[in-house]
Amino acid sequence: MYPFSFTKASDTREALNAGRRGGRYIAGGTTLVDLMRETVERPDTLVDISDLPLRDISVTERGGLRIGALVRMTDAAAHPKVRTTYPVISQALELSASAQLRNMATIGGNIMQRTRCTYFRDVSADCNKRDPGSGCAAREGFNRTHAILGTSDDCVATHPSDAAVAFAALEARVRLLGPDGSERTVPFADFLLKPGSTPNREQALQRGELITAVEMPALPRPLRSGYLKVRDRQSYEFALTSAAVALHIRGGVIREAKVAAGGVGTVPWKLPAVERRLIGERPSDALWAEAAGEASDGARPLQHNRFKVELLRRTVERQLRIVGDSK
Ligand code: SF4
């Protein structure tokens, strides 16, 4: 560890003032404290925002769902409204991390968490994300768990969040509050940034901006949804591949389809080609297989992760069948 200052914000104004001066927000601390211990991150000032009133889960005026940024993962997963209207979110949260971590970590922190690329966490390794311009040790190193979609020459790390895959599928929006008190809403697809030539820049956040909530749009009902995670062991492990699926089926025809994949992209990977293939069709095993065939389009596998191309197709096909055949 190293010296840093710590302040606890008693209200939103105090937090924003500290954020404007360059303070780094912290709540559950389940990622940031680890990274500080390893000196991967070295913020001068931490601003504890745990006491801010951002712990509500509510239905929006338009019939969507708003989850406050400081809602704990455990509480979000267990909330009756989340469980009944968006089971894909509950399932993604419950398959994340460990029970102890879920009891501490917040929804805002979950989407802000940083990659699990081992080279990023090893300060002796070259890593453009941690140290811009130094190189990418993963490209020529052991890259079995790395991304096959959305990569660049500068970075091939995956985004680790499961919940973010559900948010991407549902086309959630992130609500932000600026240091001057202005509010804005960013589509989830624009909030997390692909690495390009600046992998150190991961979110579309301006200096001092605070995440206040993640909002799900209202979707036609009934909506069947669920999350499937494929990993090396059954608990406390990150996804090799995952699939978040939501389907609105009426009169035996798929009217709406929301699909995204995890464990394969530098950001949670929305699958519009799969969605287009499903809409207007009648559910069948042949349809699930055909639609999933589009899932790996554009993949650029690395030396050790070629297996993800086929595994992604199979994961999407299986989850389409599970959700599509459910009642
Ligand atoms: Fe760093 Fe990204 Fe390369 Fe990992 S993949 S070493 S995070 S630049």
Side-chain angles (χ1 to χ4, degrees):
M1 262 315 193
Y2 61 94
F4 60 91
S5 64
F6 181 91
T7 177
K8 191 171 179 76
S10 55
D11 58 29
T12 307
R13 175 52 44 203
E14 211 174 294
L16 291 172
N17 281 338
R20 180 160 41 79
R21 292 193 298 271
R24 184 75 181 274
Y25 300 128
I26 186 167
T30 52
T31 292
L32 184 53
V33 172
D34 274 356
L35 293 173
M36 289 173 68
R37 252 194 236 118
E38 292 162 8
T39 67
V40 174
E41 295 234 35
R42 300 176 67 97
D44 293 327
T45 305
L46 290 184
V47 185
D48 185 352
I49 56 170
S50 305
D51 286 349
L52 303 192
L54 302 173
R55 290 192 189 278
D56 282 349
I57 296 179
S58 58
V59 176
T60 64
E61 299 101 55
R62 293 182 185 162
L65 190 71
R66 179 181 297 134
I67 304 177
L70 293 179
V71 175
R72 305 277 184 199
M73 290 171 70
T74 300
D75 297 333
H79 194 281
K81 205 72 197 170
V82 179
R83 287 195 98 79
T84 54
T85 56
Y86 298 99
V88 62
I89 299 175
S90 286
Q91 291 171 21
L93 287 166
E94 285 170 349
L95 289 169
S96 304
S98 65
Q100 292 91 336
L101 288 166
R102 294 194 297 271
N103 286 341
M104 285 299 293
T106 63
I107 292 297
N110 183 280
I111 62 173
M112 288 289 290
Q113 68 182 295
R114 307 201 68 188
T115 183
R116 296 287 155 166
C117 172
T118 49
Y119 302 103
F120 170 71
R121 286 165 184 257
D122 173 0
V123 291
S124 67
D126 291 339
C127 173
N128 289 320
K129 191 181 278 299
R130 173 174 32 76
D131 183 12
S134 62
C136 171
R139 273 211 157 270
E140 303 304 322
F142 187 58
N143 44 42
R144 178 175 178 271
T145 60
H146 287 70
I148 57 172
L149 289 158
T151 57
S152 71
D153 288 345
D154 289 334
C155 183
V156 292
T158 53
H159 191 276
S161 165
D162 294 293
V165 182
F167 295 149
L170 296 170
E171 292 159 20
R173 294 181 290 261
V174 183
R175 289 186 66 91
L176 302 170
L177 182 63
D180 60 357
S182 61
E183 287 185 84
R184 66 183 182 118
T185 303
V186 179
F188 200 79
D190 298 333
F191 180 73
L192 296 176
L193 305 177
K194 294 194 199 85
S197 59
T198 54
N200 54 311
R201 188 150 185 267
E202 296 174 336
Q203 302 90 15
L205 275 172
Q206 289 160 13
R207 184 182 171 94
E209 262 186 327
L210 186 65
I211 302 171
T212 56
V214 178
E215 278 184 4
M216 267 37 74
L219 290 170
R221 301 283 160 183
L223 189 74
R224 311 169 186 185
S225 74
Y227 186 72
L228 176 65
K229 181 173 182 177
V230 178
R231 45 190 167 171
D232 282 330
R233 57 183 183 202
Q234 259 314 94
S235 73
Y236 200 35
E237 184 57 279
F238 292 90
L240 289 171
T241 57
S242 71
V245 171
L247 299 175
H248 170 55
I249 303 174
R250 186 165 43 81
V253 173
I254 300 169
R255 312 281 173 170
E256 193 78 67
K258 306 288 182 195
V259 187
V264 290
T266 51
V267 293
W269 204 255
K270 183 79 161 154
L271 295 169
V274 175
E275 296 171 342
R276 282 195 297 274
R277 186 67 192 81
L278 293 169
I279 292 170
E281 301 291 339
R282 291 184 175 275
S284 70
D285 283 350
L287 178 66
W288 308 139
E290 275 171 38
E294 315 265 1
S296 294
D297 281 4
R300 294 201 309 170
L302 303 158
Q303 185 185 356
H304 305 112
N305 67 5
R306 291 181 200 286
F307 71 98
K308 285 193 176 187
V309 175
E310 181 58 23
L311 187 60
L312 172 59
R313 286 195 206 107
R314 293 186 191 194
T315 306
V316 172
E317 181 183 346
R318 184 168 163 198
Q319 188 58 3
L320 287 173
R321 183 177 294 116
I322 290 169
V323 172
D325 292 350
S326 65
K327 295 291 173 211

